[in-house]
Amino acid sequence: GLRDANGVEDFVAQVNARTEILDQRQRSPANLRAVDIEVGQRVRVWTDGVLMESAPPQVKATRIIVLQNGKAGESLCGQ
């Protein structure tokens, strides 16, 4: 499942019109839309700091960066 930098597994990141989504896989980072993120891509997610206690936990994403390659401790985009 999804795992954040603190080892929390299976959380949902909510995206809205103000969420900045960048693609770091290109030489010059490009803006993306939420629909451009694919299952299995490694991402880093910034949040507004609020964790909604639900199953699974939910956060509001303020920024998402699609990483060039997978790195330990990064979140994995799931379904």
Side-chain angles (χ1 to χ4, degrees):
L2 300 173
R3 193 172 295 276
D4 72 6
N6 296 317
V8 175
E9 190 169 333
D10 291 332
F11 70 94
V12 174
Q14 298 177 351
V15 176
N16 61 39
R18 290 176 287 190
T19 304
E20 179 183 29
I21 304 173
L22 297 172
D23 188 348
Q24 196 177 51
R25 296 170 298 167
Q26 300 179 19
R27 187 162 277 196
S28 176
N31 289 320
L32 294 176
R33 299 171 300 154
V35 297
D36 297 324
I37 300 174
E38 298 175 10
V39 172
Q41 288 181 312
R42 294 272 177 189
V43 298
R44 178 174 284 163
V45 179
W46 282 257
T47 72
D48 64 359
V50 176
L51 176 66
M52 292 171 255
E53 294 184 25
S54 58
Q58 298 179 43
V59 295
K60 290 184 182 176
T62 57
R63 172 187 260 189
I64 298 174
I65 295 189
V66 177
L67 299 173
Q68 190 166 23
N69 51 28
K71 297 181 181 178
E74 299 299 308
S75 299
L76 176 65
C77 181
Q79 296 178 350

